[in-house]
Each structure stands twice: as structure tokens, then as C-alpha cells.
Amino acid sequence: MIELKPEHQSTIDLAIRSGACQDPAEALDQAFEILREQLDCEDWLKDQREAIAAKIATGFAQSERGEMMDGDEALEMLRRRRAERPPAVG
């Protein structure tokens, strides 16, 4: 048996009262899923650190050469890329 801190129990109680969860087990399942996703993201970031640093360096070099994109144009490009991505499999 695990003894919860009062603030953790309050959070679980709130999740149940709000209807976000039906019982404490479901609240804990959701909390653990969020923690797993966070750890997966941290692992991905560690694995991709060099590639990300290279892309940032490329971007700075392009900026220094004046090869910049308008902010609205950049946002539209990001929206298109996001819409083209396959849905996440969970």
C-alpha cells in the first residue's frame, strides 16, 4: 500500500469530482501515462540533441546571411507540416 501526500490525494479527489476520472486507479493510470510520455520525450531529445544543434546552427547561419522568412509565412509552413503529419499512434 502506498501512502499519498495530502496534495496528491486532493488532486485525485478533484479529478474524480470533476468527472475527468471515475476512480483513483484511473487517475493514477492517467498520471503514469503522462509521466511515460514525458520520459519518452526526454529520451527522444537526448537521442536527437546533435541533430537539433546542427539545425539551430544552420538557422543562425542563414539568418546571418539574410536568408530569413516572414513570420506569417513561417507559421503557415509549420501549420501545413503539422497537417501533413500522420496521426500519433497511442
Side-chain angles (χ1 to χ4, degrees):
M1 179 156 173
I2 297 173
E3 188 172 324
L4 297 174
K5 294 179 182 179
E7 59 269 23
H8 296 162
Q9 184 63 54
S10 294
T11 301
I12 291 171
D13 294 343
L14 176 61
I16 295 168
R17 280 195 314 273
S18 72
C21 300
Q22 293 187 1
D23 55 45
E26 184 179 356
L28 291 173
D29 285 344
Q30 288 185 19
F32 285 122
E33 180 60 30
I34 291 167
L35 182 57
R36 274 191 296 276
E37 288 173 7
Q38 181 181 353
L39 292 170
D40 287 346
C41 285
E42 288 175 9
D43 287 345
W44 179 87
L45 183 58
K46 286 177 188 172
D47 292 344
Q48 299 296 318
R49 189 171 305 272
E50 286 183 27
I52 292 168
K55 288 182 180 189
I56 291 170
T58 298
F60 277 125
Q62 289 172 331
S63 174
E64 288 175 350
R65 292 189 304 265
E67 300 170 4
M68 296 185 287
M69 183 183 292
D70 175 73
D72 291 333
E73 184 181 347
L75 287 173
E76 183 56 34
M77 179 190 69
L78 291 172
R79 286 186 187 108
R80 278 194 314 270
R81 284 184 183 177
R82 185 174 193 173
E84 293 169 359
R85 256 190 292 178
V89 178

Coordinates of all heavy atoms in Angstrom, one line a residue:
M1 N 0.8 -1.2 0.0 CA 0.0 0.0 0.0 C 0.9 1.2 0.0 O 1.9 1.3 0.7 CB -0.9 0.0 1.2 CG -1.8 1.2 1.3 SD -3.2 0.8 2.3 CE -3.9 2.4 2.4
I2 N 0.5 2.2 -0.8 CA 1.2 3.5 -0.9 C 0.5 4.6 -0.1 O -0.7 4.7 -0.3 CB 1.4 3.9 -2.4 CG1 2.2 2.9 -3.1 CG2 2.0 5.3 -2.5 CD1 2.2 3.1 -4.6
E3 N 1.2 5.3 0.7 CA 0.6 6.4 1.4 C 0.9 7.7 0.5 O 2.0 8.1 0.2 CB 1.2 6.6 2.8 CG 0.5 7.6 3.6 CD 1.0 7.7 5.0 OE1 1.3 6.6 5.5 OE2 1.1 8.8 5.6
L4 N -0.2 8.4 0.1 CA -0.2 9.6 -0.7 C 0.0 10.8 0.2 O -0.6 10.9 1.3 CB -1.4 9.7 -1.5 CG -1.7 8.6 -2.6 CD1 -3.0 8.8 -3.2 CD2 -0.6 8.6 -3.6
K5 N 0.7 11.8 -0.4 CA 0.8 13.1 0.3 C -0.6 13.7 0.2 O -1.4 13.4 -0.8 CB 1.7 14.0 -0.4 CG 3.2 13.6 -0.3 CD 4.1 14.5 -1.1 CE 5.5 14.1 -1.1 NZ 6.4 15.0 -1.8
P6 N -1.0 14.5 1.1 CA -2.4 15.1 1.1 C -2.7 15.9 -0.2 O -3.8 15.8 -0.7 CB -2.4 16.1 2.3 CG -1.3 15.5 3.2 CD -0.3 14.9 2.4
E7 N -1.6 16.6 -0.8 CA -1.9 17.3 -2.0 C -2.1 16.4 -3.2 O -2.9 16.7 -4.1 CB -0.8 18.3 -2.3 CG 0.6 17.7 -2.4 CD 1.4 17.6 -1.2 OE1 0.8 17.7 0.0 OE2 2.7 17.6 -1.3
H8 N -1.5 15.2 -3.2 CA -1.7 14.2 -4.2 C -3.1 13.6 -4.1 O -3.8 13.5 -5.1 CB -0.7 13.1 -4.2 CG 0.7 13.6 -4.4 ND1 1.8 12.9 -4.1 CD2 1.2 14.7 -5.0 CE1 2.9 13.5 -4.4 NE2 2.5 14.7 -5.0
Q9 N -3.5 13.3 -2.9 CA -4.9 12.8 -2.7 C -5.9 13.8 -3.1 O -6.9 13.5 -3.7 CB -5.1 12.4 -1.2 CG -6.5 11.8 -0.9 CD -6.6 10.5 -1.7 OE1 -5.8 9.6 -1.6 NE2 -7.7 10.3 -2.5
S10 N -5.7 15.1 -2.8 CA -6.6 16.2 -3.2 C -6.7 16.3 -4.7 O -7.8 16.5 -5.2 CB -6.1 17.5 -2.6 OG -6.2 17.5 -1.2
T11 N -5.6 16.1 -5.4 CA -5.6 16.1 -6.9 C -6.4 15.0 -7.4 O -7.2 15.1 -8.3 CB -4.2 16.1 -7.4 OG1 -3.5 17.2 -6.9 CG2 -4.2 16.1 -8.9
I12 N -6.3 13.8 -6.8 CA -7.1 12.6 -7.3 C -8.5 12.9 -7.0 O -9.4 12.6 -7.8 CB -6.6 11.3 -6.6 CG1 -5.2 11.0 -7.1 CG2 -7.5 10.2 -6.8 CD1 -4.5 9.9 -6.3
D13 N -8.8 13.4 -5.8 CA -10.2 13.7 -5.4 C -10.9 14.7 -6.4 O -12.0 14.5 -6.9 CB -10.3 14.2 -4.0 CG -9.9 13.1 -3.0 OD1 -9.9 11.9 -3.3 OD2 -9.6 13.5 -1.8
L14 N -10.1 15.7 -6.8 CA -10.6 16.7 -7.7 C -10.8 16.1 -9.1 O -11.8 16.4 -9.7 CB -9.6 17.9 -7.8 CG -9.9 19.0 -8.8 CD1 -11.2 19.6 -8.4 CD2 -8.8 20.0 -8.9
A15 N -9.9 15.2 -9.5 CA -10.1 14.6 -10.8 C -11.4 13.8 -10.8 O -12.1 13.7 -11.8 CB -8.9 13.7 -11.2
I16 N -11.7 13.1 -9.7 CA -12.9 12.3 -9.7 C -14.2 13.2 -9.6 O -15.1 13.0 -10.3 CB -12.9 11.3 -8.5 CG1 -11.7 10.3 -8.7 CG2 -14.2 10.7 -8.2 CD1 -11.4 9.5 -7.5
R17 N -14.1 14.2 -8.7 CA -15.3 15.2 -8.6 C -15.5 15.9 -10.0 O -16.7 16.1 -10.3 CB -15.0 16.2 -7.5 CG -15.2 15.7 -6.1 CD -15.3 16.9 -5.1 NE -14.3 17.9 -5.3 CZ -13.1 17.8 -4.7 NH1 -12.8 16.8 -3.9 NH2 -12.2 18.8 -4.9
S18 N -14.5 16.2 -10.7 CA -14.7 16.9 -12.0 C -15.2 16.0 -13.1 O -15.6 16.5 -14.1 CB -13.4 17.6 -12.4 OG -12.5 16.6 -12.8
G19 N -15.1 14.7 -12.9 CA -15.5 13.8 -13.9 C -14.4 13.4 -14.8 O -14.6 12.6 -15.8
A20 N -13.2 13.9 -14.6 CA -12.1 13.6 -15.5 C -11.7 12.1 -15.3 O -11.2 11.5 -16.3 CB -10.9 14.5 -15.2
C21 N -11.9 11.6 -14.1 CA -11.6 10.2 -13.8 C -12.8 9.6 -13.0 O -13.5 10.3 -12.3 CB -10.3 10.1 -13.0 SG -8.9 10.7 -13.8
Q22 N -13.0 8.3 -13.2 CA -14.1 7.7 -12.5 C -13.6 7.2 -11.1 O -14.5 7.0 -10.2 CB -14.6 6.5 -13.3 CG -15.3 7.0 -14.5 CD -16.0 5.9 -15.2 OE1 -16.1 4.7 -14.8 NE2 -16.7 6.2 -16.4
D23 N -12.4 6.9 -10.9 CA -11.9 6.4 -9.6 C -10.4 6.6 -9.5 O -9.7 7.1 -10.5 CB -12.2 4.9 -9.5 CG -11.6 4.0 -10.7 OD1 -10.4 4.3 -11.0 OD2 -12.3 3.2 -11.2
P24 N -9.8 6.4 -8.3 CA -8.4 6.7 -8.1 C -7.5 5.9 -9.0 O -6.5 6.4 -9.5 CB -8.2 6.3 -6.6 CG -9.5 6.4 -6.0 CD -10.5 6.0 -7.0
A25 N -7.8 4.7 -9.3 CA -7.0 3.9 -10.2 C -6.9 4.5 -11.6 O -5.8 4.6 -12.2 CB -7.5 2.5 -10.4
E26 N -8.0 5.1 -12.1 CA -8.0 5.7 -13.4 C -7.1 7.0 -13.3 O -6.4 7.3 -14.3 CB -9.4 6.1 -13.9 CG -9.4 6.7 -15.3 CD -10.8 7.0 -15.8 OE1 -11.8 6.7 -15.1 OE2 -10.9 7.6 -16.9
A27 N -7.2 7.8 -12.3 CA -6.4 9.0 -12.1 C -5.0 8.6 -12.1 O -4.2 9.3 -12.7 CB -6.8 9.7 -10.8
L28 N -4.6 7.6 -11.4 CA -3.2 7.2 -11.4 C -2.7 6.6 -12.7 O -1.6 6.9 -13.1 CB -2.9 6.1 -10.3 CG -3.1 6.7 -8.8 CD1 -3.0 5.5 -7.8 CD2 -2.0 7.7 -8.6
D29 N -3.6 5.9 -13.4 CA -3.3 5.4 -14.8 C -2.9 6.6 -15.7 O -1.9 6.6 -16.4 CB -4.4 4.6 -15.4 CG -4.5 3.2 -14.8 OD1 -3.6 2.8 -14.1 OD2 -5.6 2.6 -15.0
Q30 N -3.8 7.7 -15.6 CA -3.5 8.8 -16.4 C -2.2 9.6 -16.0 O -1.5 10.0 -16.9 CB -4.7 9.8 -16.4 CG -5.9 9.3 -17.1 CD -7.1 10.3 -17.1 OE1 -6.9 11.5 -16.9 NE2 -8.3 9.8 -17.3
A31 N -2.0 9.7 -14.7 CA -0.8 10.3 -14.3 C 0.5 9.5 -14.8 O 1.5 10.1 -15.2 CB -0.8 10.4 -12.8
F32 N 0.4 8.2 -14.7 CA 1.6 7.4 -15.1 C 1.8 7.5 -16.6 O 2.9 7.5 -17.1 CB 1.4 6.0 -14.7 CG 1.7 5.8 -13.2 CD1 0.8 5.2 -12.4 CD2 3.0 6.1 -12.7 CE1 1.1 5.0 -11.0 CE2 3.2 6.0 -11.3 CZ 2.3 5.4 -10.5
E33 N 0.7 7.6 -17.4 CA 0.8 7.7 -18.8 C 1.4 9.1 -19.2 O 2.3 9.1 -20.1 CB -0.6 7.7 -19.5 CG -0.6 7.8 -21.0 CD 0.2 6.7 -21.7 OE1 0.3 5.6 -21.2 OE2 0.8 7.0 -22.8
I34 N 1.1 10.1 -18.5 CA 1.7 11.4 -18.7 C 3.2 11.3 -18.4 O 4.1 11.8 -19.1 CB 1.0 12.5 -17.9 CG1 -0.4 12.8 -18.4 CG2 1.9 13.8 -17.9 CD1 -1.3 13.6 -17.5
L35 N 3.5 10.7 -17.3 CA 5.0 10.5 -16.9 C 5.7 9.7 -18.0 O 6.8 10.1 -18.3 CB 5.0 9.8 -15.5 CG 6.4 9.6 -15.0 CD1 7.2 10.9 -14.8 CD2 6.3 8.9 -13.6
R36 N 5.1 8.6 -18.5 CA 5.8 7.8 -19.5 C 6.0 8.7 -20.8 O 7.1 8.6 -21.4 CB 4.9 6.6 -19.9 CG 5.1 5.4 -19.0 CD 4.5 4.1 -19.5 NE 3.0 4.2 -19.6 CZ 2.2 4.0 -18.6 NH1 2.7 3.6 -17.4 NH2 0.9 4.1 -18.7
E37 N 5.0 9.5 -21.2 CA 5.2 10.3 -22.3 C 6.3 11.3 -22.1 O 7.1 11.6 -23.1 CB 3.9 11.0 -22.7 CG 2.8 10.1 -23.2 CD 1.4 10.8 -23.4 OE1 1.4 12.0 -23.1 OE2 0.5 10.1 -23.7
Q38 N 6.4 11.9 -21.0 CA 7.4 12.8 -20.7 C 8.8 12.2 -20.7 O 9.7 12.7 -21.3 CB 7.2 13.5 -19.3 CG 8.3 14.5 -18.9 CD 8.1 15.1 -17.5 OE1 7.1 14.8 -16.9 NE2 9.0 15.8 -17.1
L39 N 8.9 11.0 -20.2 CA 10.2 10.3 -20.2 C 10.6 9.9 -21.7 O 11.7 10.0 -22.1 CB 10.1 9.0 -19.3 CG 10.1 9.3 -17.8 CD1 9.8 8.0 -17.1 CD2 11.3 10.0 -17.3
D40 N 9.6 9.5 -22.5 CA 9.8 9.2 -23.9 C 10.3 10.4 -24.6 O 11.3 10.3 -25.4 CB 8.6 8.7 -24.6 CG 8.2 7.3 -24.1 OD1 9.1 6.6 -23.5 OD2 7.1 6.8 -24.4
C41 N 9.7 11.6 -24.3 CA 10.2 12.8 -25.0 C 11.6 13.2 -24.6 O 12.4 13.6 -25.4 CB 9.3 14.0 -24.6 SG 7.7 13.9 -25.4
E42 N 11.9 13.0 -23.3 CA 13.3 13.2 -22.8 C 14.3 12.3 -23.5 O 15.4 12.7 -23.9 CB 13.4 13.1 -21.3 CG 12.7 14.2 -20.6 CD 12.7 14.0 -19.1 OE1 13.4 13.1 -18.6 OE2 12.0 14.8 -18.4
D43 N 13.9 11.0 -23.7 CA 14.8 10.1 -24.4 C 15.0 10.5 -25.8 O 16.1 10.5 -26.4 CB 14.2 8.7 -24.4 CG 14.3 8.0 -23.0 OD1 15.1 8.5 -22.1 OD2 13.6 7.0 -22.8
W44 N 13.9 11.0 -26.5 CA 14.0 11.4 -27.9 C 14.9 12.6 -28.0 O 15.8 12.7 -28.9 CB 12.6 11.8 -28.4 CG 12.7 12.2 -29.8 CD1 12.6 11.5 -30.9 CD2 12.8 13.6 -30.2 NE1 12.7 12.3 -32.0 CE2 12.8 13.6 -31.7 CE3 12.9 14.8 -29.6 CZ2 12.9 14.8 -32.4 CZ3 13.0 16.0 -30.3 CH2 13.0 15.9 -31.7
L45 N 14.8 13.6 -27.0 CA 15.6 14.8 -27.1 C 17.1 14.4 -26.9 O 17.9 14.9 -27.6 CB 15.2 15.7 -26.0 CG 15.9 17.1 -25.9 CD1 15.8 17.8 -27.3 CD2 15.4 17.9 -24.8
K46 N 17.4 13.5 -26.0 CA 18.8 13.0 -25.8 C 19.3 12.4 -27.1 O 20.4 12.7 -27.5 CB 18.9 12.0 -24.7 CG 18.7 12.7 -23.3 CD 18.8 11.6 -22.2 CE 18.5 12.2 -20.9 NZ 18.3 11.1 -19.8
D47 N 18.5 11.6 -27.7 CA 18.9 10.9 -29.0 C 19.1 11.9 -30.1 O 19.9 11.7 -31.0 CB 17.9 9.9 -29.4 CG 17.8 8.7 -28.4 OD1 18.8 8.5 -27.6 OD2 16.8 8.0 -28.5
Q48 N 18.3 13.0 -30.1 CA 18.3 14.0 -31.2 C 19.1 15.2 -31.0 O 19.2 16.1 -31.8 CB 16.9 14.4 -31.6 CG 16.0 13.2 -32.0 CD 16.5 12.6 -33.3 OE1 16.9 13.3 -34.2 NE2 16.5 11.3 -33.3
R49 N 19.8 15.3 -29.8 CA 20.5 16.5 -29.4 C 21.4 17.1 -30.5 O 21.4 18.3 -30.8 CB 21.2 16.3 -28.1 CG 21.8 17.6 -27.5 CD 22.3 17.3 -26.1 NE 21.4 16.7 -25.2 CZ 20.5 17.4 -24.5 NH1 20.5 18.7 -24.5 NH2 19.7 16.7 -23.7
E50 N 22.3 16.2 -31.1 CA 23.2 16.7 -32.1 C 22.5 17.2 -33.3 O 22.9 18.2 -33.9 CB 24.2 15.6 -32.4 CG 25.2 15.3 -31.3 CD 26.3 14.3 -31.7 OE1 26.5 14.1 -32.9 OE2 26.8 13.7 -30.8
A51 N 21.5 16.5 -33.8 CA 20.8 16.9 -35.0 C 20.1 18.2 -34.8 O 20.1 19.1 -35.6 CB 19.8 15.8 -35.4
I52 N 19.5 18.4 -33.6 CA 18.8 19.6 -33.3 C 19.8 20.8 -33.2 O 19.6 21.9 -33.8 CB 18.1 19.5 -31.9 CG1 16.9 18.5 -32.1 CG2 17.6 20.9 -31.5 CD1 16.3 18.1 -30.8
A53 N 21.0 20.6 -32.6 CA 22.0 21.6 -32.5 C 22.5 22.0 -33.9 O 22.7 23.2 -34.2 CB 23.2 21.1 -31.7
A54 N 22.6 21.0 -34.8 CA 23.0 21.3 -36.2 C 22.0 22.1 -36.9 O 22.3 23.1 -37.7 CB 23.3 20.0 -37.0
K55 N 20.7 21.8 -36.7 CA 19.7 22.6 -37.4 C 19.6 24.0 -36.8 O 19.4 25.0 -37.6 CB 18.3 21.9 -37.2 CG 18.2 20.7 -38.0 CD 16.8 20.0 -37.9 CE 16.8 18.8 -38.7 NZ 15.5 18.2 -38.8
I56 N 19.9 24.2 -35.5 CA 19.9 25.5 -35.0 C 21.1 26.3 -35.6 O 20.9 27.5 -35.9 CB 20.0 25.5 -33.4 CG1 18.7 24.9 -32.9 CG2 20.3 26.8 -32.8 CD1 18.7 24.6 -31.4
A57 N 22.2 25.7 -35.7 CA 23.4 26.3 -36.2 C 23.1 26.7 -37.7 O 23.5 27.8 -38.1 CB 24.6 25.4 -36.1
T58 N 22.5 25.9 -38.4 CA 22.1 26.2 -39.8 C 21.2 27.4 -39.9 O 21.4 28.3 -40.7 CB 21.5 25.0 -40.5 OG1 22.4 23.9 -40.5 CG2 21.0 25.3 -41.9
G59 N 20.2 27.4 -39.0 CA 19.3 28.5 -39.0 C 20.0 29.9 -38.6 O 19.7 30.9 -39.2
F60 N 20.9 29.8 -37.7 CA 21.7 31.1 -37.3 C 22.5 31.5 -38.5 O 22.6 32.7 -38.8 CB 22.6 30.8 -36.1 CG 21.9 31.0 -34.8 CD1 21.9 30.0 -33.9 CD2 21.2 32.1 -34.5 CE1 21.2 30.1 -32.7 CE2 20.5 32.3 -33.3 CZ 20.6 31.3 -32.4
A61 N 23.1 30.6 -39.2 CA 24.0 30.9 -40.4 C 23.1 31.5 -41.5 O 23.5 32.5 -42.1 CB 24.7 29.7 -40.9
Q62 N 21.9 31.0 -41.7 CA 21.0 31.5 -42.7 C 20.6 32.9 -42.3 O 20.5 33.8 -43.2 CB 19.8 30.6 -42.9 CG 20.1 29.3 -43.6 CD 18.9 28.3 -43.5 OE1 18.1 28.4 -42.6 NE2 18.9 27.5 -44.5
S63 N 20.3 33.1 -41.0 CA 19.9 34.4 -40.6 C 21.0 35.5 -40.8 O 20.7 36.6 -41.2 CB 19.5 34.3 -39.1 OG 19.3 35.6 -38.6
E64 N 22.2 35.1 -40.5 CA 23.3 36.0 -40.7 C 23.5 36.4 -42.1 O 24.0 37.4 -42.4 CB 24.6 35.4 -40.1 CG 24.6 35.4 -38.6 CD 25.8 34.6 -38.0 OE1 26.6 34.0 -38.7 OE2 26.0 34.8 -36.7
R65 N 23.1 35.5 -43.0 CA 23.3 35.7 -44.5 C 22.0 36.5 -45.0 O 21.9 36.8 -46.2 CB 23.4 34.4 -45.3 CG 24.8 33.7 -45.0 CD 25.0 32.6 -46.0 NE 23.9 31.6 -46.0 CZ 23.9 30.5 -45.3 NH1 25.0 30.2 -44.5 NH2 22.9 29.6 -45.3
G66 N 21.1 36.7 -44.1 CA 19.8 37.4 -44.5 C 18.8 36.5 -45.1 O 17.8 37.0 -45.7
E67 N 18.9 35.3 -45.0 CA 18.0 34.3 -45.6 C 16.9 34.0 -44.6 O 16.8 32.9 -44.1 CB 18.8 33.0 -46.0 CG 19.9 33.2 -46.9 CD 20.7 32.0 -47.1 OE1 20.4 30.9 -46.5 OE2 21.7 32.0 -47.8
M68 N 16.1 35.0 -44.3 CA 15.0 34.8 -43.3 C 13.7 34.8 -44.0 O 13.5 35.2 -45.1 CB 15.1 36.0 -42.3 CG 16.4 35.9 -41.5 SD 16.5 37.2 -40.2 CE 16.7 38.7 -41.2
M69 N 12.7 34.2 -43.3 CA 11.3 34.1 -43.8 C 10.4 35.0 -42.9 O 10.6 35.1 -41.7 CB 10.9 32.6 -43.6 CG 9.6 32.2 -44.1 SD 9.1 30.5 -43.8 CE 10.3 29.6 -44.8
D70 N 9.4 35.5 -43.6 CA 8.4 36.3 -42.9 C 7.7 35.5 -41.8 O 7.5 34.3 -42.0 CB 7.4 36.8 -43.9 CG 6.3 37.6 -43.3 OD1 6.5 38.7 -42.8 OD2 5.2 37.0 -43.2
G71 N 7.4 36.1 -40.7 CA 6.8 35.3 -39.6 C 5.5 34.6 -39.9 O 5.3 33.5 -39.6
D72 N 4.6 35.3 -40.7 CA 3.4 34.7 -41.1 C 3.6 33.6 -42.0 O 2.9 32.5 -42.0 CB 2.5 35.8 -41.7 CG 2.0 36.8 -40.8 OD1 1.9 36.5 -39.5 OD2 1.7 38.0 -41.2
E73 N 4.6 33.7 -42.9 CA 4.9 32.7 -43.9 C 5.4 31.4 -43.1 O 5.1 30.3 -43.4 CB 6.0 33.2 -44.8 CG 6.3 32.2 -45.9 CD 7.4 32.8 -46.8 OE1 7.7 34.0 -46.8 OE2 8.0 32.0 -47.6
A74 N 6.3 31.7 -42.1 CA 6.8 30.6 -41.3 C 5.7 29.8 -40.5 O 5.7 28.6 -40.5 CB 7.9 31.1 -40.3
L75 N 4.8 30.6 -40.0 CA 3.7 29.9 -39.2 C 2.8 29.1 -40.2 O 2.4 28.0 -39.8 CB 2.8 31.0 -38.5 CG 3.5 31.6 -37.3 CD1 2.6 32.8 -36.8 CD2 3.7 30.6 -36.2
E76 N 2.6 29.6 -41.4 CA 1.8 28.9 -42.3 C 2.5 27.6 -42.7 O 1.9 26.5 -42.9 CB 1.5 29.7 -43.6 CG 0.6 29.0 -44.6 CD -0.7 28.5 -44.0 OE1 -1.3 29.2 -43.1 OE2 -1.2 27.4 -44.5
M77 N 3.8 27.6 -42.9 CA 4.6 26.5 -43.3 C 4.5 25.4 -42.2 O 4.3 24.2 -42.4 CB 6.1 26.8 -43.5 CG 6.9 25.6 -43.9 SD 8.7 26.0 -43.9 CE 9.0 26.3 -42.1
L78 N 4.6 25.9 -40.9 CA 4.5 25.0 -39.8 C 3.1 24.3 -39.7 O 3.0 23.1 -39.4 CB 4.9 25.7 -38.5 CG 6.3 26.1 -38.3 CD1 6.5 27.0 -37.1 CD2 7.2 24.9 -38.3
R79 N 2.1 25.1 -39.9 CA 0.7 24.6 -39.9 C 0.5 23.5 -41.0 O -0.1 22.5 -40.8 CB -0.3 25.7 -40.1 CG -0.5 26.6 -38.9 CD -1.6 27.6 -39.1 NE -1.6 28.5 -38.0 CZ -1.2 29.8 -38.0 NH1 -0.8 30.3 -39.2 NH2 -1.3 30.5 -37.0
R80 N 1.1 23.8 -42.2 CA 1.0 22.8 -43.3 C 1.7 21.5 -42.9 O 1.2 20.4 -43.1 CB 1.6 23.3 -44.6 CG 0.6 24.2 -45.4 CD 1.1 24.5 -46.8 NE 2.5 24.8 -46.9 CZ 3.0 26.0 -46.8 NH1 2.3 27.1 -46.7 NH2 4.3 26.2 -46.9
R81 N 2.9 21.6 -42.3 CA 3.7 20.4 -41.9 C 2.9 19.6 -40.9 O 2.9 18.4 -41.0 CB 5.1 20.8 -41.4 CG 6.0 21.3 -42.4 CD 7.4 21.5 -41.8 NE 8.4 22.0 -42.7 CZ 9.6 22.4 -42.4 NH1 10.0 22.3 -41.2 NH2 10.4 22.8 -43.3
R82 N 2.3 20.3 -39.9 CA 1.6 19.6 -38.9 C 0.4 18.9 -39.5 O 0.1 17.8 -39.1 CB 1.1 20.6 -37.8 CG 0.5 20.0 -36.7 CD 0.2 20.9 -35.6 NE -0.2 20.2 -34.4 CZ -0.4 20.7 -33.2 NH1 -0.2 22.0 -33.1 NH2 -0.7 20.0 -32.2
A83 N -0.3 19.5 -40.4 CA -1.5 18.9 -41.0 C -1.1 17.7 -41.9 O -1.9 16.7 -42.0 CB -2.2 19.9 -41.9
E84 N 0.1 17.7 -42.4 CA 0.6 16.6 -43.3 C 1.1 15.4 -42.5 O 1.2 14.3 -43.0 CB 1.7 17.1 -44.2 CG 1.1 18.1 -45.2 CD 2.3 18.8 -46.0 OE1 3.5 18.5 -45.7 OE2 1.9 19.6 -46.9
R85 N 1.4 15.6 -41.2 CA 1.9 14.6 -40.3 C 0.9 13.5 -40.1 O -0.3 13.8 -39.9 CB 2.3 15.1 -38.9 CG 3.8 15.3 -38.8 CD 4.1 15.6 -37.4 NE 3.6 17.0 -37.0 CZ 3.6 17.5 -35.9 NH1 4.2 16.9 -34.9 NH2 3.2 18.7 -35.7
P86 N 1.3 12.2 -40.1 CA 0.4 11.2 -39.8 C -0.1 11.3 -38.3 O 0.7 11.8 -37.5 CB 1.1 9.9 -40.1 CG 2.6 10.3 -40.1 CD 2.6 11.7 -40.4
P87 N -1.3 10.9 -38.0 CA -1.7 10.9 -36.6 C -0.8 10.1 -35.7 O -0.3 9.0 -36.1 CB -3.2 10.4 -36.6 CG -3.3 9.8 -38.0 CD -2.2 10.3 -38.9
A88 N -0.7 10.5 -34.5 CA 0.1 9.8 -33.5 C -0.6 8.5 -33.1 O -1.8 8.5 -33.0 CB 0.4 10.6 -32.3
V89 N 0.2 7.5 -33.0 CA -0.4 6.2 -32.6 C -0.2 6.0 -31.1 O 0.9 6.1 -30.6 CB 0.3 5.0 -33.3 CG1 -0.3 3.7 -32.9 CG2 0.1 5.2 -34.8
G90 N -1.2 5.8 -30.3 CA -1.1 5.8 -28.9 C -1.5 4.5 -28.4 O -1.3 3.9 -27.5

